[in-house]
Every structure is written in structure tokens, then in C-alpha cells.
Amino acid sequence: MMKAIMATKRILITGGAGFLGSHLCDRLIADGHDVLCVDNFFTGSKDNIRHLLSHPRFELLRHDVTFPLYVEVDQIYNLACPASPVHYQHDPVQTTKTSVHGAINMLGLAKRTRARIFQASTSEVYGDPEVHPQPESYWGRVNPIGPRSCYDEGKRCAETLFFDYHRQHRLEIKVVRIFNTYGPRMHPNDGRVVSNFIVQALKGEDITIYGDGQQTRSFCYVDDMIEGFVRMMHSPADFTGPVNLGNPGEFTMLELAEKVLKIVGGKSKLSFHPLPVDDPKQRQPDIRLAKEKLGWEPKVCLEDGLKETVAYFRRVLER
């Protein structure tokens, strides 16, 4: 395990009321830091951080990162951006602006305050890959004009900006590429496969399978992902990334559906639909770099993580 960083830092988290952001808020507060959570609540929710609102080391600011922000901080985690197809395709122009203008504004803040800055990039920078599993050295196969490109290319451009600021202005940057992550506080209507399957099963509805269900994904539990974030932020300054964070366990959509139905029970059936445009057929991270540089690898198996996530969605649907 890495040594804990004892000195209290002022840490900004953009997208801090979202799924990953709220768990990161919890972790950094628990580690003894002062946290400024910034969110415009397009996909984030106050329910995710309500338990922190009265905490003396937590502050919430409603703000859109496409506009400049003037605060004093030691570290910045830039997580702001809709991350599910349903949400990022709802307003694709705003999605691209959030990735690109948001990166420019946060990098400008980091330049002024000399803060170390972390970019939550995505496995979608690899597009529909021809290399499997995907190493960080793979440049990707992305459609630049498709319905998903607002997110894929926005994140690719943000990575470009981070590395240009690093080279030109000597900023300390940390870039991670996040593979599918799941767990409590996922949005029930975000269109992602784990939340889709669980909500449909709990409601007794048919499980929606796109294509033949043989396309694969790798699923990382949220606690493992947050541990990777923190280790990356605390890694030596000369290690910029990008680094893949995800669980290399690979499952077909049919296998995931079977696991969800086994946990939930009920009598939901499978319903097959056409595959969405540019939907990747394979997704699996090569995490050798994370193991080598961060001493990180996932600990939570899919079955255990799904049980926690199902329990969360049961509570949400009973409200």
C-alpha cells in the first residue's frame, strides 16, 4: 500500500456530485482533506453528496466548467462530463464544450495556482479497437463524425490539451483512462448496461440486449476505481500517464445479464435489439502499467460488486 499523504490539501473536484465524483469526495474527506465540490447538476445529484453538506471540510459550488473558475486550490480532479451515451448525446455540442472548454479552464486554473491536475479520460479514446486488450500505446480507432464522437473526440482533445500544457507550461498532470465502472450512485436512467440490466430486472421488465449479446465489456467496482484515482494523484511527478484503470475481467453482455438475473431473481426475459451505431464490440484494459507504476489492480469481483449495486437500486426504486 502507498503511504497516506498526511498534509491537508485544498482539493477541487469538478463533477463532484456525480457517480464517481461523489465517491471521490467521500474518500478525500475521509483522508483529511478540504474538498470543494463543483457541479452544474446536469447529471450529478445533490442526493449523492447530501450526507457531506454539513461537513466542515466540504464545500459545494454550483458551476459549469465551460466558464472560468477563480478559486485557490492545491489539487484538481477534473471529472466533469456526462459519461453515458443517453446523457452525452442529449446535448452533444455541450458535451464537447464540457470536455474541451472545461479542460482549458481547469488547466488555466492549475497554471495560475500551480496545482497538480488530474484528468478523468476514458477507454472511449480507443473507439472500436483493432487491438485487444487495449494498451496505453494504442492510438485508437474512433469515428470523428459519429453520434458518439462528441464524447470520444472531446476526451481525446482534452488529453491533447493536458499534455500540451504539461510540455509548454510544465504543469504537473495526471491522466487516467477509465474503463466501465459501476456501483452505488449510478444514475438509474443513464443507459449504461449495468444500471439498465439491474433496473429492468428489479422492475420485472425484459432485459434489453443489443446485437447478439456477444460484445464484451470489463467492469470495475467504484471503490477500486477511486483507489486508482488517489494512487495516480499521489504518484511521482514524472509519471503523467495516460494509464488505464479498469478490471481486466471480460464478460459478454449475455454473461452479465445472467449474473444480474441470478442476484435479483424474478422472471425477466431477454429482449434483443439492433446494435447502436459505433458501439464497440470489445473492451478490455491492459493494466500492466497501473500495476507497475501504481501498485494497483482491482480487488472486488463482479458478483460481489453487483450485489452491492443491486441493493442500492432496490433502495432507490423503493423511495
Side-chain angles (χ1 to χ4, degrees), residues 11-13 16-17 25 35-39 49 58-61:
I11 303 177
L12 166 64
I13 305 174
C25 287
V35 171
L36 173 58
C37 169
V38 169
D39 209 296
I49 43 89
F58 180 82
E59 184 179 356
L60 174 63
L61 175 64

Side-chain angles (χ1 to χ4, degrees), residues 80-129:
C81 189
S84 74
V86 168
H87 290 143
Y88 66 63
Q89 291 175 8
H90 172 72
D91 189 345
V93 172
Q94 185 64 24
T95 296
T96 303
K97 288 172 70 176
T98 299
S99 286
V100 178
H101 291 185
I104 291 169
N105 287 328
M106 290 306 107
L107 287 162
L109 175 61
K111 179 185 172 187
R112 182 179 66 79
T113 60
R114 302 312 298 174
R116 178 175 286 195
I117 183 168
F118 172 106
Q119 168 66 3
S121 191
T122 173
S123 61
E124 297 303 321
V125 301
Y126 300 123
D128 190 2

